Amino acid sequence: MRSNIVTEAGLPTRVGQWWEGIPFFTSAIMIICGTIYLVCLLVGYDSFVEVCFLPVAILSQFQVYRIFTSVLFHGSLLHVLFNMLALVPLGSELERIMGSIRMLYLTILLAISNAIIHLFIAVVMAHNPLHHYDNPMNECAIGFSGILFSLIVIETSLSGIQSRSVFGLFSVPAQWYVWILLVVFQLLMTNVSFLGHLCGIVSGFAYTYGLLNFLSPGTSFYSTMESSSLLSSCVRRPKFILCTGGNPSAQLPTYSGQNTMTNGLAFPNVWRNLSSWMPRRDAVTEPQQDSRFPGRGRTLGSVQNQTVPVDDSEFDLQTRLLDRSAADHQSSDGRQNNTAVVDRATPIQNQRPVAFDAAIQKLVSMGFEKTQVEVALAAADGDVNIAVEILMSQKE
């Protein structure tokens, strides 16, 4: 007999399968950022001060393009590799939920909101009456990491998990995961933009709590974009994910729920959203009984915990047999009884269902005595498997 031969796929095949599993927009962002870095590397372009996010240049010269160019440019090979590899799981999961067009809109919205918050904090710190901090105004920041921090906040709130692992070293509560990453990156790499990452976190929380819902268009907008001729070539791509048929709301499911006000600024809703992040004691709830399946529920693999103990099974069977015999004797004496005699764990004897008779015949064909089979089935509430265990325990 020929032994089974297990062949492993080669590296190109694995890379191809990995790439095919990445949705359209996420892979497009990776291609754009990677291509921009390679072009800059080949032509020797390193004047990132012309494309980075520089608050003083945006405010004084109104160079709004820096909001988007700073997101796509990266300073080193390690920088672009780390950001793109971090984007794959986050972007892929969110894009499969939202759709490619909605993911594009979310990225643009987060880039703009991050920039506005960044500019606001920089201006406040620069014009602080107590002490002027001009460094944030002159800080040059590039990279996709600000949006990544926003996506981490959104994905964490959407997944609902309780803990996350930090680089596989230790686990932390999910609510503190993004803040610990902020501190860890700042300690390991001092040249990263702390304010850029912080603004990404704030923007992610603003979106999660529904504060940006008034900027999110309806589903008809995404449907119109998907049906337009300009995007027809992209929609036909196998990795493109349509928004139609996904989440019916115009934004991701957040703690504000579907009943949140349009502006998302109502204080009770915000407080409810904030309180949902507070740790709570888990309450053990009793499982609800389905009206379609009355009676005691049993789970597979736990039969031994619900059956009668082996030592007392014979005594219990004898007791049930005596009770049933007494009931039959009482009915045979002709005594007037308006109520049916019902055993504690047996069906009505006068109206025994067909399935019960079929189970009796099945167990009798297996070599058990009919009287013992009837009592065992009655004790097992008609469950053939439990009845077999009871009958086997009698033989032992």
Side-chain angles (χ1 to χ4, degrees), residues 24 58 64 91 107 119-120 164 171 196 201 224 230 260 275 281 308 324 363 381:
F24 177 80
I58 296 176
V64 186
T107 304
L119 291 174
F120 176 77
R164 282 192 177 276
S171 297
I201 295 176
T224 304
L230 298 176
T260 306
S275 62
R281 185 183 299 273
V308 182
R324 182 184 176 189
L363 294 179
D381 292 343

Short mmCIF file of all heavy atoms in Angstrom, two decimals, residues 24 58 64 91 107 119-120 164 171 196 201 224 230 260 275 281 308 324 363 381:
data_model
loop_
_atom_site.label_atom_id
_atom_site.label_comp_id
_atom_site.label_asym_id
_atom_site.label_seq_id
_atom_site.Cartn_x
_atom_site.Cartn_y
_atom_site.Cartn_z
N PHE A 24 -9.65 44.31 -1.77
CA PHE A 24 -9.23 45.22 -2.84
C PHE A 24 -8.60 46.49 -2.30
O PHE A 24 -7.47 46.84 -2.66
CB PHE A 24 -10.43 45.56 -3.73
CG PHE A 24 -10.12 46.52 -4.82
CD1 PHE A 24 -9.50 46.10 -5.98
CD2 PHE A 24 -10.45 47.87 -4.69
CE1 PHE A 24 -9.21 47.00 -7.00
CE2 PHE A 24 -10.17 48.77 -5.70
CZ PHE A 24 -9.55 48.34 -6.85
N ILE A 58 0.78 74.17 6.82
CA ILE A 58 -0.64 74.03 6.47
C ILE A 58 -1.41 75.29 6.84
O ILE A 58 -2.27 75.77 6.08
CB ILE A 58 -1.23 72.79 7.15
CG1 ILE A 58 -0.56 71.52 6.63
CG2 ILE A 58 -2.74 72.71 6.93
CD1 ILE A 58 -1.02 70.25 7.33
N VAL A 64 -2.93 72.17 2.04
CA VAL A 64 -3.84 71.13 2.51
C VAL A 64 -3.44 69.76 1.96
O VAL A 64 -3.79 68.73 2.56
CB VAL A 64 -5.29 71.49 2.13
CG1 VAL A 64 -6.27 70.49 2.74
CG2 VAL A 64 -5.63 72.90 2.58
N GLY A 91 -7.09 46.22 8.15
CA GLY A 91 -7.84 46.65 6.98
C GLY A 91 -8.67 45.54 6.36
O GLY A 91 -9.79 45.78 5.90
N THR A 107 -11.18 55.78 5.50
CA THR A 107 -9.77 56.17 5.53
C THR A 107 -9.61 57.67 5.29
O THR A 107 -8.83 58.34 5.98
CB THR A 107 -8.98 55.37 4.48
OG1 THR A 107 -9.17 53.97 4.72
CG2 THR A 107 -7.50 55.70 4.55
N LEU A 119 -3.86 69.67 14.21
CA LEU A 119 -3.71 71.12 14.09
C LEU A 119 -4.26 71.84 15.32
O LEU A 119 -3.65 72.80 15.82
CB LEU A 119 -4.43 71.62 12.84
CG LEU A 119 -3.82 71.22 11.49
CD1 LEU A 119 -4.72 71.65 10.35
CD2 LEU A 119 -2.42 71.80 11.34
N PHE A 120 -5.37 71.38 15.83
CA PHE A 120 -5.97 72.03 17.00
C PHE A 120 -5.04 71.94 18.22
O PHE A 120 -4.80 72.94 18.91
CB PHE A 120 -7.32 71.38 17.30
CG PHE A 120 -7.98 71.91 18.54
CD1 PHE A 120 -8.62 73.13 18.55
CD2 PHE A 120 -7.95 71.17 19.72
CE1 PHE A 120 -9.22 73.61 19.71
CE2 PHE A 120 -8.54 71.64 20.87
CZ PHE A 120 -9.18 72.87 20.87
N ARG A 164 -6.04 41.54 24.66
CA ARG A 164 -5.21 41.47 23.47
C ARG A 164 -3.76 41.21 23.88
O ARG A 164 -3.34 41.57 24.98
CB ARG A 164 -5.30 42.76 22.65
CG ARG A 164 -6.56 42.87 21.81
CD ARG A 164 -6.44 44.01 20.84
NE ARG A 164 -7.59 44.14 19.97
CZ ARG A 164 -7.77 43.45 18.85
NH1 ARG A 164 -6.84 42.59 18.46
NH2 ARG A 164 -8.83 43.63 18.12
N SER A 171 -0.52 39.74 27.75
CA SER A 171 -1.88 40.15 27.39
C SER A 171 -2.32 41.31 28.27
O SER A 171 -1.96 41.38 29.46
CB SER A 171 -2.86 38.98 27.54
OG SER A 171 -2.52 37.93 26.64
N GLY A 196 0.97 62.55 16.49
CA GLY A 196 0.25 61.95 15.37
C GLY A 196 -0.47 60.68 15.77
O GLY A 196 -1.62 60.45 15.38
N ILE A 201 -5.67 57.97 17.81
CA ILE A 201 -6.48 57.31 18.84
C ILE A 201 -7.73 58.12 19.13
O ILE A 201 -8.84 57.57 19.23
CB ILE A 201 -5.63 57.12 20.12
CG1 ILE A 201 -4.47 56.16 19.85
CG2 ILE A 201 -6.49 56.62 21.26
CD1 ILE A 201 -3.54 55.98 21.03
N THR A 224 -24.60 54.08 -5.23
CA THR A 224 -24.41 54.89 -6.44
C THR A 224 -22.98 54.86 -6.91
O THR A 224 -22.69 54.77 -8.12
CB THR A 224 -24.85 56.33 -6.17
OG1 THR A 224 -26.21 56.35 -5.72
CG2 THR A 224 -24.73 57.18 -7.43
N LEU A 230 -17.35 54.93 -13.58
CA LEU A 230 -15.96 55.22 -13.25
C LEU A 230 -15.32 54.10 -12.45
O LEU A 230 -14.12 53.86 -12.56
CB LEU A 230 -15.88 56.54 -12.46
CG LEU A 230 -16.36 57.80 -13.20
CD1 LEU A 230 -16.31 59.01 -12.28
CD2 LEU A 230 -15.50 58.04 -14.46
N THR A 260 -28.81 55.86 17.84
CA THR A 260 -28.10 57.07 18.22
C THR A 260 -28.60 58.24 17.39
O THR A 260 -28.92 58.10 16.22
CB THR A 260 -26.60 56.88 18.03
OG1 THR A 260 -26.20 55.72 18.75
CG2 THR A 260 -25.82 58.06 18.54
N SER A 275 -19.53 54.42 29.40
CA SER A 275 -19.72 53.45 30.47
C SER A 275 -19.59 52.02 29.99
O SER A 275 -19.30 51.12 30.76
CB SER A 275 -21.09 53.65 31.13
OG SER A 275 -22.13 53.43 30.18
N ARG A 281 -18.62 43.13 36.27
CA ARG A 281 -18.62 41.75 36.74
C ARG A 281 -19.52 40.92 35.84
O ARG A 281 -20.66 41.28 35.58
CB ARG A 281 -19.12 41.68 38.18
CG ARG A 281 -19.03 40.28 38.78
CD ARG A 281 -19.61 40.29 40.18
NE ARG A 281 -18.88 41.19 41.03
CZ ARG A 281 -17.80 40.84 41.72
NH1 ARG A 281 -17.32 39.61 41.61
NH2 ARG A 281 -17.18 41.71 42.48
N VAL A 308 -28.78 8.55 36.18
CA VAL A 308 -28.81 8.09 37.56
C VAL A 308 -27.49 7.40 37.88
O VAL A 308 -26.95 6.67 37.05
CB VAL A 308 -29.98 7.12 37.75
CG1 VAL A 308 -30.08 6.64 39.19
CG2 VAL A 308 -31.28 7.79 37.31
N ARG A 324 -45.19 1.88 39.03
CA ARG A 324 -45.98 1.62 37.83
C ARG A 324 -46.91 0.43 38.04
O ARG A 324 -48.06 0.43 37.59
CB ARG A 324 -45.04 1.37 36.66
CG ARG A 324 -45.78 1.14 35.35
CD ARG A 324 -44.81 0.81 34.25
NE ARG A 324 -45.53 0.49 33.04
CZ ARG A 324 -44.96 0.00 31.97
NH1 ARG A 324 -43.67 -0.26 31.99
NH2 ARG A 324 -45.67 -0.26 30.88
N LEU A 363 -34.85 -1.80 21.48
CA LEU A 363 -34.05 -2.31 22.59
C LEU A 363 -34.30 -3.79 22.82
O LEU A 363 -33.40 -4.52 23.23
CB LEU A 363 -34.36 -1.50 23.86
CG LEU A 363 -33.93 -0.03 23.82
CD1 LEU A 363 -34.33 0.66 25.12
CD2 LEU A 363 -32.44 0.09 23.61
N ASP A 381 -36.82 9.18 30.25
CA ASP A 381 -37.67 10.12 29.53
C ASP A 381 -37.70 9.84 28.04
O ASP A 381 -37.77 10.74 27.20
CB ASP A 381 -37.21 11.57 29.76
CG ASP A 381 -37.45 11.99 31.20
OD1 ASP A 381 -38.24 11.31 31.88
OD2 ASP A 381 -36.86 12.99 31.63
#
